[in-house]
Amino acid sequence: MRLVASDIDGTILGHDGKISDRTVRAFHACRDAGVELVFVTGRPPRWLTPLQEQLGHSGKVICSNGAVVWDLAADKVLASRALGLEAILEASRIIKSIRPDALFAAETLTGFHLEPGFIENATSELLSEVTPAPLRQTLTVDDAVVKFLAISRCVTPDEFLAEIQPAVAHLVTTTHSAPRTALLEMSVPGVNKAVTLAEYAASLGIDAADVVAFGDMPNDIEMLRWAGEGYAMASGHPEAISAAGQQAPHFDDDGVAQVLEAKLAAQRV
């Protein structure tokens, strides 16, 4: 175990926004043992505060499902892969033809764009920062869109993905990570967590065989398959569990911490 790569939400971070003390201790023990840590998330860079405040992490984070590599210490982007405006508009047209109720949003390197109704909660912090408008009106060719989003309130997340993924595969890579909300996350074709994690590991001279990865949702599947030891959370999505080589205990039982504690103990023997 030379590198630990972990998803955040549903893997180490709960709905209460907290990382358990046991999990924090396990990651600190990895760091003390000389094991590299990298967090691999669908979150954008602006939502990485828990890593800094609760874990004291100041290293690299792979964000937006692999589209961005972010340096927490320097607070800057190191690498990114952005979607072109034409691909976004064509994908939105196709999605609307299949699911007319769909609404869209776009995460760029400099901000967030969303359409009216994309966020239902009128008190959302995002709505105080962004004025909703059709993406066709707010996005320009100069905007570096690292994640394109589509939401539907008429289907389940798995149904929405099954409908849309094959129809837009020539334009975007499509996945989802929200357990109960039909929210699709789209990026440049061929980009996912595994692709960027593999590049990052290679830059450190670390092979896949020496990587332990943790995740819980469909957007983690490629990463769990790529890592020498991929652990899906027992509390995770069935497809993530079936894709992973191994299973970590339930999130509520500090599953990641349990696995890391056992591995560190074995390495000390």
Side-chain angles (χ1 to χ4, degrees):
M1 183 173 70
R2 296 183 58 201
L3 172 65
V4 171
S6 179
D7 173 50
I8 299 177
D9 295 278
T11 300
I12 63 168
L13 186 79
H15 294 300
D16 60 357
K18 302 294 184 183
I19 302 172
S20 74
D21 291 341
R22 183 177 181 182
T23 301
V24 170
R25 289 194 300 270
F27 280 120
H28 286 178
C30 285
R31 188 182 301 149
D32 292 344
V35 177
E36 297 282 346
L37 299 177
V38 65
F39 295 92
V40 191
T41 179
R43 287 185 172 219
R46 57 194 171 83
W47 285 356
L48 301 178
T49 305
L51 296 180
Q52 297 164 294
E53 294 185 347
Q54 298 181 53
L55 274 176
H57 186 64
S58 59
K60 309 300 188 296
V61 183
I62 296 171
C63 303
S64 302
N65 292 326
V68 176
V69 179
W70 187 261
D71 186 329
L72 271 179
D75 193 32
K76 68 176 185 179
V77 63
L78 298 177
S80 65
R81 294 177 171 98
L83 281 163
L85 181 59
E86 288 186 8
I88 291 169
L89 295 179
E90 177 62 8
S92 64
R93 184 194 67 77
I94 294 170
I95 294 168
K96 273 284 193 183
S97 71
I98 298 170
R99 183 59 52 186
D101 68 293
L103 296 168
F104 305 101
E107 186 84 47
T108 75
L109 289 174
T110 57
F112 195 66
H113 300 249
L114 73 160
E115 296 188 335
F118 185 87
I119 294 178
E120 290 185 304
N121 180 6
T123 62
S124 170
E125 189 175 315
L126 266 177
L127 292 180
S128 67
E129 302 170 358
V130 181
T131 300
L135 296 190
R136 186 178 293 275
Q137 296 177 15
T138 63
L139 286 178
T140 72
V141 292
D142 296 324
D143 286 309
V145 175
V146 291
K147 188 158 70 167
F148 175 46
L149 302 163
I151 193 169
S152 171
R153 297 185 174 91
C154 299
V155 288
T156 69
D158 290 340
E159 289 169 343
F160 198 22
L161 182 63
E163 285 180 341
I164 301 303
Q165 189 176 51
V168 296
H170 60 298
L171 298 166
V172 293
T173 291
T174 309
T175 187
H176 83 78
S177 63
R180 289 170 291 278
T181 303
L183 177 65
L184 299 185
E185 304 167 38
M186 292 165 275
S187 55
V188 172
V191 172
N192 55 53
K193 289 185 176 186
V195 169
T196 308
L197 176 59
E199 293 172 351
Y200 179 71
S203 74
L204 299 175
I206 297 175
D207 295 329
D210 297 321
V211 177
V212 176
F214 298 93
D216 71 317
M217 290 298 290
N219 65 328
D220 296 310
I221 286 174
E222 293 88 356
M223 176 175 74
L224 296 175
R225 285 175 173 160
W226 174 82
E229 293 188 76
Y231 285 84
M233 306 304 291
S235 46
H237 192 283
E239 290 184 16
I241 291 172
S242 65
Q246 302 187 65
Q247 191 173 134
H250 196 285
F251 169 84
D252 292 339
D253 297 321
D254 293 319
V256 170
Q258 286 195 50
V259 173
L260 293 178
E261 289 164 357
K263 288 191 170 298
L264 288 170
Q267 289 189 175
R268 286 192 293 265
V269 174

